[in-house]
Amino acid sequence: MSTEMNTNRPIPVVAYGLGPIGLRLAGRAARLGPAVKLVGAIDIDPARIGADLGALLGTSELGVTVQPTLDVGPAEEDRGRGVILHATGSRLTDVAAQLLAAVELGWNVISTCEELSFPTLTDATIAKELDARAQANGVTVVGTGINPGFLMDTLPLILTTVCTDVTRVEVRRVVNTDHRRRPLQQKVGVGMKQAEFESLAEQGKIGHVGLVQSAHLLAHRLGWDVLSYRDEIKPVITEHAVQTTLGPVPAGDVIGQQQWAEATCADGRGIRFDLQMSYGAADNDEILITGTPNLHQRVEGGVNGDAGTEAVVTNLLPVISQAPPGLHDMADLTRIAWFGGTSHPNGNR
Amino acid sequence: MSTEMNTNRPIPVVAYGLGPIGLRLAGRAARLGPAVKLVGAIDIDPARIGADLGALLGTSELGVTVQPTLDVGPAEEDRGRGVILHATGSRLTDVAAQLLAAVELGWNVISTCEELSFPTLTDATIAKELDARAQANGVTVVGTGINPGFLMDTLPLILTTVCTDVTRVEVRRVVNTDHRRRPLQQKVGVGMKQAEFESLAEQGKIGHVGLVQSAHLLAHRLGWDVLSYRDEIKPVITEHAVQTTLGPVPAGDVIGQQQWAEATCADGRGIRFDLQMSYGAADNDEILITGTPNLHQRVEGGVNGDAGTEAVVTNLLPVISQAPPGLHDMADLTRIAWFGGTSHPNGNR
């Protein structure tokens, strides 16, 4: 019932990073017309620079030429309304300069950078600077996606809305990698030798990024102090030779990963995530909440992560375009559950 | 990362309506101390007026005496922060004067009034006045609860966040009335003769209130035009004599209700609700979304409606205390899903 803030102008959008996820985001933005208008596309791949974005999307010409860098802000009348859909990297230190540059040009940013989903945990200095510059420029920045961003943090948090007390949250996600994009299959080790996987795991160079962010976001918004956090990743080894969409994998080699994380919190509270992503696994998403009342929620057949990320990111377009300036997390944009703690989930709005 | 707006003062709360749900709300508010402070209690029951609220809650004395009417606003420094937890009736016309009076006194209001959950549909004139007076007084009003308010509207809407297109939403809720408060058992006809039930059903005097609101809230937020809406209610008849918590029911009499609603929307879109509330039914909550992708979500064993309403209402306390002034619905307070329509769900923020 508040004053209508819509204009008839579309939300101007720039697709920044044109890998498989970036192209999905751009494709959805194109389909969201006339509410949305693609006005730019950025990628570092020399083979793509100069191409029309429509050619990369397999659609008709869009009149948007891929550029190597982001150099211009939105039109003056769209300052604070324009949005960058950012999908270039998982690590905050790798993308911080890109985010800051976008903010200085007057763009809101929705990024799939996993470490941006709970940025103060990842790097408080970068988070503070991003927040300050976003506020100074009147724009909003958020890191999101299906996971982190929704299935292991926002959704369990939303479900706790029906609880008057919560002591434990467990999330179990099983992903059949054959239903996912090729870079994700590679990222989780499909086709690797076991020794190679274990070496990369020791160096922290393999596995899903974001469990630690989701766990701390949940704990923070539930008002829980994290006493200790542990996670572990192991390869899933195939007993028989299999034919994955990435290629054949002989018996004894890796067809994916099994990862778990556990946050032990004050007052006996805790968070547990189990994430299996492997060839042939049975897609499933489950959330178990121990509390008043207990809840056992399941999405049968799971949520496809690539389609889901496309949806979560692009569905935020009008939200981000109208949100208060600053660096936010997904819980800032949802605001329901609360358990009376002094650090309550909506305290910073 | 926005400026911290917490104060160290508790949120002052008045419990307005002290039936089973109102007492649950008051009890939770009492337990939420020191973040919340009960400062008033209102009920029309002469047997309760003058009693200490603690006596009604079965706790120690709270220093809050039950009054027949709401006469005072929050303390000056808490104007716009104080919240009425309002649970006196399902029908908007029955409670509009109470809501307006609360707003004029400077209280935010969270009400379990089912028809307030999508108020413009119920009575656009009352909704407009409430919104205007809430804005004039710098306070926020929302109608919510588990259903309407969460399970059949907010939750499916939140789940569509992972979709890029939705054509149909179905929600199925099954409630074992023996697990619910006595007034609800009476409200759905447990122990009635079939003829009495059917006569009351014809007069619209029996059955769950709120399906039409949930359906229209969902349609509105999905950007769908409702072309037609139908609902129907039928008694559930027991074949054998049963012993319910409300008393014995002989074979051939009513042990609850079966209700369905269907909203047919433009462009082949639609919403379907099935709600069974009866003695001995197997508690269950399911949401089926047809779209990209399809989703089949289930809360195994369902969500208890009385506990759930207590949670949904009281968990909103800090949200309502900080929300923009005006009359809102639950989707105003969540703001995620969006499908590019011009009447997009977040358009009015």
Side-chain angles (χ1 to χ4, degrees), chain A residues 296-297 300 315 333-334 338, chain B residues 296-297 300 315 333-334 338:
Chain A
H296 182 186
Q297 189 255 18
E300 292 184 19
N315 286 337
L333 303 175
T334 49
W338 178 58
Chain B
H296 181 184
Q297 190 255 18
E300 293 183 17
N315 285 337
L333 304 175
T334 49
W338 178 60

Side-chain angles (χ1 to χ4, degrees), chain A residues 1-6 11 28 31-36 119-120 124 127-128 131 135 146 150-151 154-155 158-165 221 286 292-304 307-308 310-319 322-328 330 332-344 346-349, chain B residues 1-6 11 28 31-36 119-120 124 127-128 131 135 146 150-151 154-155 158-165 221 286 292-304 307-308 310-319 322-328 330 332-344 346-349:
Chain A
M1 300 287 292
S2 310
T3 312
E4 186 70 30
M5 289 178 64
N6 282 336
I11 300 173
R28 175 97 200 279
R31 294 194 305 278
L32 281 170
V36 164
T120 46
K128 198 171 169 186
D131 185 48
Q135 292 200 39
I146 199 74
F150 193 78
L151 292 175
T154 303
L155 185 56
I158 292 279
L159 287 172
T160 65
T161 300
V162 306
C163 300
T164 50
D165 187 40
R221 294 294 169 156
E286 256 177 295
T292 310
N294 295 329
L295 279 188
H296 182 186
Q297 189 255 18
R298 183 198 295 268
V299 177
E300 292 184 19
V303 178
N304 183 282
E310 174 189 330
V312 172
V313 168
T314 53
N315 286 337
L316 273 178
L317 279 167
V319 178
Q322 295 167 23
L327 175 61
H328 294 305
M330 282 294 277
D332 281 326
L333 303 175
T334 49
R335 305 184 299 169
I336 297 190
W338 178 58
F339 299 95
T342 49
S343 66
H344 66 65
N346 309 295
N348 63 351
R349 297 312 298 275
Chain B
M1 298 286 292
S2 311
T3 313
E4 186 69 34
M5 288 178 64
N6 282 337
I11 299 173
R28 175 97 201 279
R31 294 194 306 280
L32 280 170
V36 164
T120 46
K128 199 173 169 184
D131 185 49
Q135 291 199 39
I146 200 73
F150 194 78
L151 292 174
T154 303
L155 185 56
I158 292 279
L159 287 172
T160 65
T161 300
V162 306
C163 301
T164 51
D165 188 40
R221 295 295 169 156
E286 256 177 296
T292 310
N294 295 329
L295 279 186
H296 181 184
Q297 190 255 18
R298 182 199 298 268
V299 177
E300 293 183 17
V303 178
N304 183 282
E310 174 189 330
V312 171
V313 169
T314 53
N315 285 337
L316 273 179
L317 279 167
V319 177
Q322 295 167 25
L327 175 60
H328 293 304
M330 283 293 278
D332 281 326
L333 304 175
T334 49
R335 306 185 300 167
I336 297 191
W338 178 60
F339 298 95
T342 49
S343 65
H344 66 65
N346 308 295
N348 63 350
R349 297 312 301 272

Side-chain angles (χ1 to χ4, degrees), chain A residues 155-177:
Chain A
L155 185 56
L157 202 60
I158 292 279
L159 287 172
T160 65
T161 300
V162 306
C163 300
T164 50
D165 187 40
V166 175
T167 56
R168 186 169 177 82
V169 177
E170 295 190 28
V171 186
R172 301 172 187 164
R173 176 159 166 79
V174 181
V175 172
N176 182 344
T177 47

Side-chain angles (χ1 to χ4, degrees), chain A residues 80 82-84 86 92 95-96 98-104 106-113 116-119 126-127 129-144 316 319-333, chain B residues 1-2:
Chain A
V83 184
I84 302 274
H86 178 267
L92 186 53
V95 304
Q98 296 170 1
L99 301 174
L100 279 166
V103 160
E104 295 296 353
W107 294 102
N108 301 290
V109 181
I110 313 174
S111 175
T112 62
C113 172
L116 188 68
S117 65
F118 193 60
I126 293 177
E129 186 182 1
L130 259 175
D131 185 48
R133 297 314 304 159
Q135 292 200 39
N137 285 282
V139 296
T140 313
V141 178
V142 70
T144 192
L316 273 178
V319 178
I320 208 79
S321 172
Q322 295 167 23
L327 175 61
H328 294 305
D329 59 45
M330 282 294 277
D332 281 326
L333 303 175
Chain B
M1 298 286 292
S2 311

